[in-house]
Amino acid sequence: MAQKNTLRFVILGLLSKEDLSGYDMKKRFEGEIGDFWYSNHSQIYPELRKMEEAGLVKPQTQIVGQKMEKKSYHMTDAGREALLEWLQKPLGALLPSRDEFAMKLYLIDDPADPEARRLFQEEIIRHEEKLAYLKTRWTVLFASEEDQSHHFGHAAVLLHAIQRETQHLRWVKKTLRSLPNSAE
Amino acid sequence: MAQKNTLRFVILGLLSKEDLSGYDMKKRFEGEIGDFWYSNHSQIYPELRKMEEAGLVKPQTQIVGQKMEKKSYHMTDAGREALLEWLQKPLGALLPSRDEFAMKLYLIDDPADPEARRLFQEEIIRHEEKLAYLKTRWTVLFASEEDQSHHFGHAAVLLHAIQRETQHLRWVKKTLRSLPNSAE
DNA sequence: TAAACCATGTAACCCGTTACATGATTAT
DNA sequence: ATAATCATGTAACGGGTTACATGGTTTA
């Protein structure tokens, strides 16, 4: 044994809301779900096969256009049961985080090191892009109060992501300003 | 090719501060470095071998007690060069984050669902433990202003981790309080 | 008609976890 | 004595990334 196969339950979670094809799931992961889960299609398709064999999902093939096949998966009762069990299972320990930015920063002992400045600027760009994307999603999805209350979890998670990115950027910018002006 | 072997550069980074054995590195990862990087000894030892073959590090065997061997690794010039190159290389794209708590929360559409309450309580416990640990480390390591200025990166990263955990807990607790009192 | 996108798969490889394995040293 | 810790390794396996591979459909 080596890992947990959380992807299986993530897929069940997505299917609990609507029937989806593997391709659709990939698109979800590329969207705002990507803020807390992600998977490549090369991992999704084989997993769907295994889930089908295990009786957790059932594909319904439909034809798009003239002949292109699209398999939409539907959750079985066994699938729903497995999902509920997973939801009730306690969260494991906090995963070890691996943060390249923090690692590099840790290695810089001298705030006057020009590398520090460059590193911070990179970090700002990366996270400003992400924050902008999240904010767009918020306005698109939850323009009205009503939408928020009907998708409690989704709204909560998205709002939290926005706050986290905002906070992170504030810290990065503040720390950058506190660096000595090495090149002036 | 499939991944990046960041561990190699993390190890070089640790060695840039002091000579260490594989065992020592593991201890570092179990300490506050664990907040931004982690690795098991079963990954560290083979990597050190490969790095030795690549001429990036050199072991110096010393004897502890009567016969127990301890290999302390020292960075070679080639190793230092490789580290500098890595430090200057731009950060890659933001890694896909996989957050089981957020995933589960996303699946809960109804704030009155009793699962929501339980989930938040679990999350609070996990992160309060972590925050307490980080705060202890701060007082131990950076009691004086002078310590902070001599280890700029380390202090910045640790302080940031404390802020992040504090912020996260504040959000979790606030959201928990906003849940309808389903069982009262 | 060409580019962008839809749609599904497989293969190779590396990363990381868990478990197996062994033995010495230090602290209680 | 014995338990905790020091210290170093290997093996098996699952998770995840990148690349290879193919073909249909829609849009400009």
Side-chain angles (χ1 to χ4, degrees), chain A residues 1-5 38 40 42-43 64-68:
Chain A
M1 156 198 3
Q3 244 119 306
K4 292 208 302 178
N5 203 359
Y38 181 81
N40 294 298
S42 59
Q43 206 183 351
V64 178
Q66 300 300 309
K67 52 164 92 165
M68 197 173 67

Side-chain angles (χ1 to χ4, degrees), chain A residues 50-142:
Chain A
K50 282 189 274 175
M51 290 168 74
E52 189 189 339
E53 278 164 37
L56 301 172
V57 297
K58 273 189 81 162
Q60 285 155 326
T61 304
Q62 58 220 82
I63 301 296
V64 178
Q66 300 300 309
K67 52 164 92 165
M68 197 173 67
E69 290 194 352
K70 174 171 177 154
K71 285 194 223 174
S72 269
Y73 286 87
H74 182 80
M75 209 180 202
T76 65
D77 290 345
R80 191 163 298 273
E81 210 177 315
L83 175 62
L84 286 177
E85 205 180 301
W86 176 71
L87 283 172
Q88 283 161 23
K89 210 172 60 180
L91 297 164
L94 253 12
L95 288 181
S97 52
R98 292 184 175 92
D99 179 343
E100 205 180 312
F101 167 73
M103 186 69 225
K104 287 187 174 183
L105 180 52
Y106 168 77
L107 293 174
I108 299 175
D109 282 332
D110 176 11
D113 188 329
E115 275 307 306
R117 196 164 275 274
R118 201 190 47 74
L119 191 61
F120 277 100
Q121 279 156 357
E122 268 184 21
E123 182 74 353
I124 288 170
I125 290 165
R126 300 204 302 176
H127 286 275
E128 267 179 350
E129 280 170 12
K130 180 156 191 179
L131 178 57
Y133 174 75
L134 293 171
K135 281 181 170 170
T136 307
R137 291 304 297 171
W138 177 262
T139 54
V140 169
L141 291 170
F142 303 112

Side-chain angles (χ1 to χ4, degrees), chain B residues 13 31 40 74 86 101 112 144 150 165:
Chain B
N40 294 298
H74 183 80
W86 176 72
F101 168 73
S144 79
H150 277 87
E165 291 298 325

Side-chain angles (χ1 to χ4, degrees), chain B residues 2-3 5 40 42-43 64-67:
Chain B
Q3 243 118 308
N5 202 0
N40 294 298
S42 59
Q43 205 183 351
V64 179
Q66 301 301 307
K67 53 164 93 166

Side-chain angles (χ1 to χ4, degrees), chain B residues 109-128:
Chain B
D109 283 331
D110 176 11
D113 188 329
E115 274 307 306
R117 196 164 277 273
R118 200 191 49 73
L119 191 60
F120 277 100
Q121 278 156 356
E122 266 183 21
E123 183 73 352
I124 289 171
I125 289 165
R126 300 204 302 176
H127 286 273
E128 269 180 347

